[in-house]
Amino acid sequence: MRTRDLMSLGVHTDVLYALRQKGRIIELNRGLYRLTEAGEPEHPDLAVVAARAPTAAVCLISALSYHGITTQIPSAVSLAVPRGSYHRIKMSIPVTVYRFDPKTFLEGLETHRIGGMPLKIYSVARTVVDCFKFRNKVGLDIALEALRLARQRKKLQNRELLRHARLLRVEKPMTPYLQAIE
């Protein structure tokens, strides 16, 4: 929970600090706590993102890792925000911010729960297409690996993949790779 959520429930900051000193709660990040007996969330960095940047969406390599369709270990959490809007995201963990077109920002966006908090993350199909769109930044090898693993693990449908590819204008560059994998 966040400090402001606990304060709205009537928990004074002195009580909060005393609970932290006794080891009953653990401070995950500045102003972000969890109960000791709650256990570590599966994706601790994404739990911090869910609490600190609720308007941003997890994308690219971080989303691939969450969906289990990459062998890459993200060095930073990749976040997408709509281009043209101001987003100041400061965290204690490394974060890379990408600016997406506001018209297509909500396409393929899903909400999952991480550590009890809602987290916006792109679907498998949208993430694979985004990797092709940003292939010069993340690498074509990562995009191809994501496509191959998603197809092998049956995590995406061709129809959905092509719909996102048309929408994001990467259908033409993706077509040869789709034909080669089939």
Side-chain angles (χ1 to χ4, degrees):
M1 292 191 83
R2 293 177 284 205
T3 304
R4 69 173 176 232
D5 297 334
L6 292 168
M7 289 178 72
S8 69
L9 294 172
V11 178
H12 194 272
T13 53
D14 291 341
V15 174
L16 187 64
Y17 299 139
L19 289 171
R20 186 181 64 190
Q21 290 290 354
K22 291 179 185 175
R24 304 264 321 218
I25 61 172
I26 296 172
E27 186 172 16
L28 300 173
N29 201 334
R30 185 172 178 250
L32 185 64
Y33 301 92
R34 74 169 168 83
L35 292 173
T36 305
E37 56 267 0
E40 188 72 26
E42 187 178 349
H43 303 279
D45 289 348
L46 297 184
V48 172
V49 167
R52 289 275 183 214
T55 59
V58 176
C59 66
L60 298 170
I61 298 174
S62 298
L64 291 176
S65 177
Y66 177 82
H67 292 300
I69 53 172
T70 187
T71 58
Q72 303 294 314
I73 298 172
S75 59
V77 177
S78 300
L79 295 178
V81 295
R83 190 179 314 123
S85 59
Y86 179 72
H87 288 281
R88 188 184 76 224
I89 299 174
K90 287 191 171 190
M91 292 192 219
S92 60
I93 58 174
V95 172
T96 305
V97 178
Y98 295 89
R99 301 196 184 283
F100 283 19
D101 186 356
K103 296 174 190 166
T104 59
F105 182 76
L106 297 175
E107 286 294 323
L109 198 58
E110 300 173 342
T111 303
H112 296 267
R113 294 201 69 78
I114 301 285
M117 301 288 294
L119 175 73
K120 294 178 183 176
I121 189 163
Y122 284 107
S123 68
V124 172
R126 169 69 192 257
T127 302
V128 170
V129 171
D130 281 339
C131 286
F132 275 95
K133 186 168 182 75
F134 289 93
R135 64 190 175 277
N136 293 333
K137 291 186 180 187
V138 299
L140 183 60
D141 56 329
I142 292 174
L144 291 172
E145 177 193 50
L147 178 62
R148 184 178 45 79
L149 288 174
R151 299 275 312 242
Q152 282 177 355
R153 297 175 183 169
K154 298 184 184 345
K155 292 197 173 199
L156 62 84
Q157 305 257 334
N158 277 348
R159 186 176 325 135
E160 186 181 5
L161 187 71
L162 289 172
R163 184 178 69 79
H164 287 295
R166 273 187 218 102
L167 188 68
L168 298 173
R169 300 185 315 260
V170 290
E171 183 179 19
K172 200 171 187 177
M174 279 183 71
T175 302
Y177 300 111
L178 284 170
Q179 291 171 351
I181 287 181
E182 292 198 18

